[in-house]
Amino acid sequence: MFEAEIYIERRKKLREKLSSGILLFPANSESSMNYPGNCFHFRQDSSFLYYFGLDTPDMFGYMDVESGEEILFADELTIEDIVWMGYQPTFADQAKEVGIRKVLPVGKLQDYLFKAASQSRKVHYLPPYQGKIILLLSQLLNIAPAMVGNSYSIELVKAVIAMRTIKEDREIEEIEKACQVGYEMHISAFRNCRPGKSEQELYGIMEGIAYQLGTGTSFPTILSQNGETLHNYNHYQILTEGRLLLVDAGAEALSHYCSDHTRTIPVSGKFTPFQAEIYNLVVAAQAKGIELSAPEVTNQSIHLAVCKVLAEGLKEAGIMKGNVDDAVAAGAPALFLPCGLGHHMGLDVHDMEGLGEDYVGYDEVIKRIPLFGYNRLRMGKALKPGMVMTVEPGVYFIPSLIAKWEAEGTNKEFINFEAAKKKIGFGGIRLEDDILITPNGNRILGEKRLPTTLEEVLAAMNDN
Ligand SMILES: [Mn+2]
């Protein structure tokens, strides 16, 4: 948590961005896992954390745009709660830590919202995603549960995105801490990767480090020899000589800021010539992406420039063919990179994704490209100083996608399907770092950068 003034200032700034009405921020609720009393690890809503800082469930942050009144609606613990959960500061004391003087029981919120409704004042809230919160909002605002998801405030969404998109220096410091934990996690994979071990074992070691040094991982760790599956959450395989291991993992700092890094390493400690060729290509593609990331440059144009690097390299490898610029314009590289180059990162690993990807990543100037693969770019618009982005190109050989494109003849003038099919079983290679856009360009976040070049990777793997 930051000092109270930070939250006071953020809330004031947010109110100034809205014309009128009530701003309602529900904290997250505990979520049951396998029976009601056994819950998943609690994670606070990131916008609630940003404006209200408190890390406990079942509260509402309330602001009146016109009067500036701020209230925290929270129920103080009963003696029963304290017996099971231990003593905790009262909500009245917790609220003071984030600059809020008025705390009322949650039951009183309804009165305030009735009053607002009777005066035809708008109640602004962000898109809800927890079932319990949707039902609570349905009750409180007297709208059908099915309508709650559509009735969020676009005005509030845009105001929150405008603020959370540009990171304050204190936020950068926290992201750097998460990056340091991420560094230790990934280095452990380099050092423990060898044939005969299980993916699960490496996964467990990384998970342990995330919990030792932070509050755990920022998303479920992807650690798989089937790196061609973009979000592969299975860890059941035994590490096998000759295969590649893709590790995409991030940490959450104690402040809940995130990191997100990917490295791909050869299980046996050496690359085959083709693995090395594609590895070096992804290194070059990522270097191009980082080199181009600067204020006023659109992330969409960077994505396309990176696709061009990949298309050139894949043409050299005999897997793509034809004119490279035409191939990029047609969307052909998406066979090997069917996702975007990167995303915002902050309190969420895909920062603010829950507020609506089109609001976060696109605007009046930059529209989403509808072509397969390019349409998955989460962030297309112009970069600005203070943005934190991931740069994560990859090359993936996805059997079902290659088969589909071949059967349909999709981009057949740019793809050598016979050569591509020979690479089935290769898996995938992805490289990911987190960067801060600075006034003159960018810098890679984290005190130390993970081994990146082929030589650095091999050296780190053999450094036991
Ligand atoms: Mn990522």
Side-chain angles (χ1 to χ4, degrees):
M1 202 191 294
F2 302 118
E3 313 84 86
E5 289 66 36
I6 305 305
Y7 299 101
I8 293 169
E9 192 51 43
R10 285 177 181 174
R11 291 191 300 264
K12 181 165 173 280
K13 199 169 161 191
L14 180 65
R15 286 197 299 276
E16 286 165 2
K17 285 178 176 288
L18 279 115
S19 49
S20 62
I22 303 297
L23 311 185
L24 188 61
F25 286 84
N28 268 343
S29 199
E30 294 275 14
S31 194
S32 298
M33 193 163 60
N34 53 333
Y35 59 90
N38 202 24
C39 293
F40 290 103
H41 167 74
F42 175 73
R43 176 52 155 80
Q44 185 60 284
D45 175 74
S46 294
S47 291
F48 189 90
L49 275 179
Y50 188 84
Y51 292 105
F52 294 91
L54 301 176
D55 199 9
T56 35
D58 302 322
M59 303 178 282
F60 286 88
Y62 174 103
M63 283 187 263
D64 186 314
V65 172
E66 282 93 329
S67 72
E69 185 178 34
E70 299 182 327
I71 308 172
L72 183 76
F73 289 92
D75 293 327
E76 296 295 355
L77 296 186
T78 64
I79 186 65
E80 273 278 301
D81 297 328
I82 291 167
V83 168
W84 289 96
M85 297 159 62
Y87 172 78
Q88 283 158 51
T90 63
F91 282 111
D93 286 340
Q94 288 190 48
K96 273 184 212 142
E97 300 275 320
V98 293
I100 294 181
R101 301 280 149 199
K102 190 166 180 180
V103 177
L104 293 173
V106 174
K108 293 276 179 209
L109 175 57
Q110 189 84 75
D111 301 343
Y112 278 76
L113 297 176
F114 273 148
K115 191 176 167 207
S118 72
Q119 297 168 334
S120 305
R121 299 185 67 204
K122 185 173 166 71
V123 178
H124 300 266
Y125 62 88
L126 297 172
Y129 51 93
Q130 279 198 334
K132 196 168 158 189
I133 302 299
I134 292 171
L135 291 175
L136 275 170
L137 289 172
S138 161
Q139 258 174 30
L140 287 165
L141 302 170
N142 195 27
I143 44 181
M147 293 304 295
V148 172
N150 302 325
S151 307
Y152 66 87
S153 165
I154 293 171
E155 196 188 350
L156 180 60
V157 162
K158 288 183 173 171
V160 169
I161 289 172
M163 290 181 67
R164 284 182 55 192
T165 291
I166 306 301
K167 270 65 182 177
E168 302 157 356
D169 289 347
R170 63 180 67 80
E171 295 185 276
I172 304 297
E173 274 174 41
E174 294 302 320
I175 294 171
E176 301 248 34
K177 288 178 194 166
C179 286
Q180 270 324 105
V181 182
Y183 179 89
E184 297 301 334
M185 289 163 67
H186 278 272
I187 283 292
S188 78
F190 279 95
R191 296 201 175 139
N192 287 287
C193 178
R194 62 186 60 101
K197 283 205 184 195
S198 64
E199 292 172 348
Q200 186 70 26
E201 184 177 344
L202 267 58
Y203 167 78
I205 293 169
M206 292 180 71
E207 208 77 359
I209 294 170
Y211 278 106
Q212 281 168 31
L213 304 176
T215 57
T217 54
S218 53
F219 60 97
T221 294
I222 298 161
L223 186 153
S224 175
Q225 292 172 113
N226 286 105
E228 78 281 8
T229 304
L230 299 178
H231 284 180
N232 194 335
Y233 300 134
N234 298 312
H235 315 109
Y236 56 79
Q237 297 187 91
I238 299 299
L239 299 175
T240 307
E241 191 90 32
R243 295 193 73 182
L244 294 168
L245 177 69
L246 186 149
V247 183
D248 182 349
E252 202 177 282
L254 297 173
S255 55
H256 299 296
Y257 283 85
C258 300
S259 71
D260 186 6
H261 293 95
T262 308
R263 287 297 183 269
T264 308
I265 56 182
V267 170
S268 44
K270 49 185 185 289
F271 289 97
T272 67
F274 183 69
Q275 286 171 345
E277 183 178 1
I278 300 299
Y279 189 85
N280 287 329
L281 175 59
V282 178
V283 170
Q286 200 214 20
K288 175 61 95 179
I290 294 173
E291 176 201 321
L292 293 176
S293 294
E296 304 316 319
V297 182
T298 71
N299 210 47
Q300 189 173 71
S301 70
I302 301 172
H303 177 85
L304 295 174
V306 166
C307 284
K308 185 173 173 181
V309 172
L310 293 177
E312 279 163 348
L314 289 166
K315 184 177 169 180
E316 220 157 281
I319 291 165
M320 288 186 71
K321 58 186 183 180
N323 179 284
V324 167
D325 288 314
D326 294 345
V328 172
L335 178 59
F336 307 102
L337 179 65
C339 58
L341 178 65
H343 49 83
H344 287 278
M345 197 186 71
L347 277 167
D348 303 311
V349 68
H350 290 172
D351 208 27
M352 304 169 286
E353 191 172 280
L355 302 182
E357 226 178 72
D358 277 332
Y359 296 121
V360 175
Y362 293 88
D363 55 21
E364 286 311 306
V365 187
I366 301 296
K367 299 288 175 202
R368 200 180 281 268
I369 302 175
L371 285 172
F372 172 83
Y374 295 176
N375 63 354
R376 300 306 295 264
L377 180 63
R378 299 176 202 275
M379 161 66 178
K381 63 189 177 188
L383 299 171
K384 286 195 171 76
M387 284 182 175
V388 171
M389 300 294 305
T390 68
V391 185
E392 48 177 312
V395 169
Y396 311 97
F397 290 90
I398 306 171
S400 320
L401 190 59
I402 294 170
K404 183 174 189 285
W405 278 32
E406 188 185 23
E408 293 169 345
T410 304
N411 286 314
K412 60 180 189 298
E413 56 277 52
F414 303 116
I415 310 287
N416 182 348
F417 284 105
E418 287 312 314
K421 281 193 292 187
K422 286 201 186 107
K423 301 306 177 190
I424 284 173
F426 173 93
I429 293 177
R430 172 161 70 251
L431 258 180
E432 177 177 24
D433 284 282
D434 308 328
I435 62 169
L436 168 69
I437 307 300
T438 59
N440 301 316
N442 71 79
R443 74 178 174 85
I444 295 175
L445 292 172
E447 197 183 305
K448 288 175 283 189
R449 190 179 183 191
L450 281 164
T452 306
T453 65
L454 188 144
E455 295 74 24
E456 287 167 355
V457 165
L458 297 184
M461 287 189 78
N462 296 311
D463 172 27
N464 286 307

